Amino acid sequence: MREISEISSPTFFSVLNKIAPLSGTLGLYIHIPFCKSKCSYCDFYSIIHRKGLLDIFIECLIMEIDLVAENPKYYLPVRSIYFGGGTPSILKPEDIARILQVLRTKFALIEDAEITIEANPESVDNRKLLGLIDAGVNRISIGVQSFQDEELRSLGRIHDGEEARTAIIAAANAGFRNISADLMFAVPNQNIDALIENINIASQLAVNHISLYGLTIEKATPLYEELINGRIGLPDEDSYAEAYSKSVAMLANLGFSRYEVSNFAFPGFECRHNLNYWNYGSYLGFGPSAHSALIKENHGELQVQRFWNMQDFDEYIMRIKAGNPATAATEILSQEKVNLERLQLSLRLAEGYPLAEAAKFQKLADSNRLRNLIHDLECEALVRINENGNLIVTDKGMPIIDEIIASLSALIS
Ligand code: SF4
């Protein structure tokens, strides 16, 4: 991994363009690092929004886009733009419109590009939602997490269940036809009935995509403190698996297909931007802590270079204002790491992992062990092989997908 500290544009591009020329398409990610307050489980990079920060941030963000877009190799068809955070819906629609205008000028957006904004329920109203539609945003991902006030309080969220419903209804009324809701399970003291109720409510509210994540408690978060002090408890493995399985069954009944372990959609409403990550596509990220990846196929092998921005707002602003990139470091992935990541990402998807890929780089001894392992997993109905020779994790296997991936990874590397 190469650390980048004090380099300016020409060197910057020579460091970043090890994997070139690019081909294919691009996704663009814009990180908006502001939140109104910090949720008790959150370890994403965000800072509390203060007056005056937004204007300077947007100026610098546009400068960063200008700087990166100078590279003609990035002039590829852009199929998706994603405003993530933080809380991007803190921005005014005029700001989003301005950023999109710059992106349209500098990059080759395809006509029907998917343009998503993450929004928190308390930060949107009718006027803002209409403004976002006018700006060209055509997909909204609403951070509902739960419709139960008690669960929301335990997560440190600042909206309540009613605000979450209102935000979804308002988004639909404003004209959004592609609405996603984030929901959470394995929340302290959540029972399965309440979780199923959350899914039901979302499905009755013009939502056509649901991201369902199990709460993970990271160190250095207030919720972690509560956990180690015994003030909250978490579900055991069996309860976790039961909550996930019942949710998946409920979502399937309602017509939501699971296309990734945590993502469910009506046909045609899968998130194009996230599918690009999971399918190992190229993307460029802008804003503090944003990540980028350039991917090129070379004689059947994938070459991958990643780079990421510094995770410090003040430093980001300082670097960009001085005309320098905000890149913190870059790495070119070894073929072994690429193979492993391909396995890990593919198994999370409904299409699964093409076993023919493993055959290309595996030693014979390992391939025999892999065959035996897959046979054992098949006997337990945790995986299956489809008609295209893809290895697919079953509904039964999904709650323990991390263990399945770990055991397969040991034989694929
Ligand atoms: S709104 Fe999202 S990014 Fe902001 S603190 Fe809460 S979970 Fe983290």
Side-chain angles (χ1 to χ4, degrees):
M1 184 166 69
R2 175 163 178 181
E3 299 285 336
I4 299 177
S5 50
E6 290 305 322
I7 55 173
S8 53
S9 309
T11 328
F12 166 65
F13 288 131
S14 67
V15 172
L16 293 189
N17 281 323
K18 295 289 181 211
I19 304 296
L22 274 171
S23 57
T25 61
L26 267 184
L28 302 179
Y29 174 78
I30 313 292
H31 189 78
I32 308 295
F34 305 111
C35 287
K36 260 190 180 169
S37 71
K38 201 77 190 163
C39 303
S40 57
Y41 59 93
C42 178
D43 74 334
F44 298 129
Y45 179 65
S46 68
I47 55 175
I48 301 303
H49 164 50
R50 295 194 312 274
K51 205 168 182 289
L53 286 185
L54 274 182
D55 290 345
I56 185 166
F57 170 69
I58 290 163
E59 288 311 317
C60 286
L61 183 68
I62 288 173
M63 284 168 76
E64 187 192 10
I65 294 169
D66 283 343
L67 178 66
V68 173
E70 270 174 30
N71 187 340
K73 291 188 175 116
Y74 298 153
Y75 204 72
L76 295 167
V78 170
R79 296 183 71 238
S80 64
I81 297 175
Y82 194 101
F83 289 88
T87 308
S89 50
I90 277 183
L91 264 58
K92 296 195 287 284
E94 298 79 4
D95 295 328
I96 297 286
R98 190 170 157 217
I99 297 165
L100 282 174
Q101 184 50 36
V102 175
L103 291 173
R104 282 196 183 94
T105 314
K106 301 286 177 178
F107 290 95
L109 250 71
I110 65 167
E111 207 176 318
D112 69 338
E114 175 191 273
I115 303 178
T116 302
I117 189 165
E118 287 179 353
N120 280 340
E122 75 286 346
S123 66
V124 287
D125 56 23
N126 292 340
R127 196 196 74 82
K128 185 175 275 189
L129 289 161
L130 285 168
L132 290 171
I133 295 260
D134 282 348
V137 179
N138 52 29
R139 183 173 184 274
I140 188 164
S141 172
I142 302 180
V144 172
Q145 316 310 343
S146 171
F147 292 99
Q148 325 288 331
D149 293 348
E150 201 180 319
E151 287 178 15
L152 289 166
R153 271 195 298 275
S154 76
L155 295 169
R157 302 291 301 196
I158 53 174
H159 66 273
D160 61 23
E162 194 48 44
E163 275 176 302
R165 287 174 203 248
T166 306
I168 296 171
I169 294 167
N173 288 342
F176 279 98
R177 295 290 165 263
N178 199 339
I179 302 177
S180 176
D182 283 356
L183 294 177
M184 210 174 253
F185 73 100
V187 173
N189 305 320
Q190 181 186 57
N191 65 44
I192 291 188
D193 290 345
L195 172 61
I196 296 297
E197 164 101 353
N198 284 337
I199 293 170
N200 248 325
I201 295 172
S203 74
Q204 289 161 11
L205 289 173
V207 163
N208 34 42
H209 183 286
I210 290 180
S211 297
L212 178 72
Y213 294 104
L215 174 67
T216 47
I217 300 193
E218 307 291 347
K219 285 186 178 164
T221 61
L223 218 52
Y224 182 75
E225 287 297 309
E226 290 191 39
L227 183 69
I228 54 172
N229 291 330
R231 286 197 293 275
I232 56 164
L234 284 180
D236 58 26
E237 249 177 50
D238 288 346
S239 313
Y240 187 96
E242 187 190 359
Y244 178 80
S245 302
K246 289 200 166 159
S247 301
V248 173
M250 178 73 188
L251 284 159
N253 273 340
L254 293 166
F256 291 89
S257 300
R258 186 187 61 214
Y259 68 101
E260 194 267 350
V261 61
S262 304
N263 285 278
F264 305 80
F266 289 163
F269 288 93
E270 298 83 4
C271 177
R272 190 190 287 176
H273 188 80
N274 286 338
L275 275 171
N276 181 52
Y277 292 141
W278 299 323
N279 283 320
Y280 238 60
S282 295
Y283 53 90
L284 292 174
F286 302 92
S289 82
H291 281 57
S292 304
L294 305 180
I295 292 157
K296 182 190 166 198
E297 193 166 342
N298 192 17
H299 303 299
E301 283 194 346
L302 289 177
Q303 297 182 318
V304 181
Q305 178 168 22
R306 296 235 171 87
F307 46 99
W308 50 94
N309 279 353
M310 44 199 50
Q311 191 172 310
D312 181 288
F313 183 80
D314 293 334
E315 216 177 326
Y316 171 84
I317 297 292
M318 213 171 63
R319 293 289 300 275
I320 298 287
K321 272 188 156 179
N324 287 320
T327 314
T330 179
E331 69 171 340
I332 294 180
L333 271 60
S334 67
Q335 200 56 51
E336 186 180 345
K337 196 165 176 191
V338 171
N339 296 338
L340 263 183
E341 284 194 0
R342 286 276 295 155
L343 170 84
Q344 291 161 354
L345 290 172
S346 307
L347 282 178
R348 299 176 70 85
L349 294 172
E351 296 98 89
Y353 175 72
L355 281 169
E357 221 170 86
K360 281 191 227 156
F361 51 79
Q362 254 196 328
K363 288 194 251 90
L364 186 62
D366 284 345
S367 70
N368 288 336
R369 286 165 61 208
L370 179 65
R371 227 187 335 266
N372 291 339
L373 173 60
I374 290 174
H375 176 72
D376 291 347
L377 293 170
E378 277 182 309
C379 289
E380 291 182 66
L382 297 171
V383 300
R384 66 183 176 85
I385 298 175
N386 75 0
E387 59 287 357
N388 300 322
N390 287 7
L391 183 67
I392 290 170
V393 179
T394 61
D395 284 349
K396 187 178 172 201
M398 275 295 170
I400 55 161
I401 187 170
D402 290 340
E403 289 163 46
I404 294 174
I405 287 175
S407 58
L408 290 164
S409 297
L411 298 178
I412 296 277
S413 55

